[in-house]
Amino acid sequence: MASHHPIMSKDELTGFLDREFPQIHEGGQTFFVDEIGPLRARMRMDYHDRHLRPGGTISGPSMMTLADLALYAAILAHIGPVALAVTTSLNFNFLRKPEPRALIADCRLLKLGKRLAVGEVSIFSEGSPDVVCHATGTYSIPNRR
């Protein structure tokens, strides 16, 4: 079973994401690992026009990317740099219109097993206590022989 304490530091995780997924920074970096903790991760998506949809709000696909990335970061911080851990399901509830500023994603792992990890992500507009999006997701963890 995976540890309930992170085995990768914030800097190690950031370096891994930068090396393995440089495409997330295309057009300039907007996604950042802010914190890693026991069964938790916090990520930030800086505000940028490319994340907007008509009407001037942050798009659903941008929030979905942030939630999926936060879940992936939390899992990897606890199991190590396993690039082939993959999303098997994601469910989103868009609760309110996000403010036109950075978004913060707080991820909490609910189950961290040998083959599956399940977590939830709450997304907030920076500086606001109101959840704008809530997501749950499951990742498949490859067999590490």
Coordinates of all heavy atoms in Angstrom, one line a residue, residues 28 51 68 70 119 122 124 129:
G28 N 3.0 29.9 -22.0 CA 3.4 30.5 -20.7 C 2.8 29.7 -19.6 O 1.7 29.2 -19.6
H51 N -7.8 31.0 -20.7 CA -8.7 30.2 -19.9 C -10.2 30.7 -19.9 O -11.0 30.1 -19.2 CB -8.2 30.1 -18.4 CG -6.9 29.5 -18.3 ND1 -6.6 28.2 -18.7 CD2 -5.7 30.0 -17.9 CE1 -5.3 27.9 -18.5 NE2 -4.7 29.0 -18.0
D68 N -8.0 17.8 -12.6 CA -7.3 16.5 -13.0 C -5.9 16.6 -12.6 O -5.3 15.7 -12.1 CB -7.5 16.3 -14.5 CG -7.1 14.9 -14.9 OD1 -7.2 13.9 -14.1 OD2 -6.7 14.7 -16.0
A70 N -4.5 18.5 -10.3 CA -4.3 18.5 -8.8 C -4.4 17.1 -8.3 O -3.7 16.7 -7.4 CB -5.4 19.4 -8.2
G119 N -10.0 10.5 -5.2 CA -9.9 11.8 -4.5 C -10.9 12.7 -4.9 O -11.8 12.5 -5.8
S122 N -11.7 20.5 -4.6 CA -12.5 21.7 -4.5 C -11.8 22.9 -5.1 O -10.6 23.1 -4.7 CB -12.9 22.0 -3.0 OG -13.7 21.0 -2.5
F124 N -11.6 27.0 -5.9 CA -12.0 28.3 -5.4 C -11.4 29.4 -6.2 O -10.2 29.2 -6.7 CB -11.5 28.5 -4.0 CG -11.8 27.5 -3.0 CD1 -11.1 26.3 -2.9 CD2 -12.9 27.6 -2.1 CE1 -11.4 25.3 -1.9 CE2 -13.3 26.7 -1.2 CZ -12.5 25.5 -1.1
P129 N -13.9 32.2 -0.3 CA -14.1 30.9 0.4 C -15.1 30.0 -0.3 O -15.3 28.9 0.0 CB -14.7 31.3 1.8 CG -15.4 32.6 1.5 CD -14.6 33.3 0.4

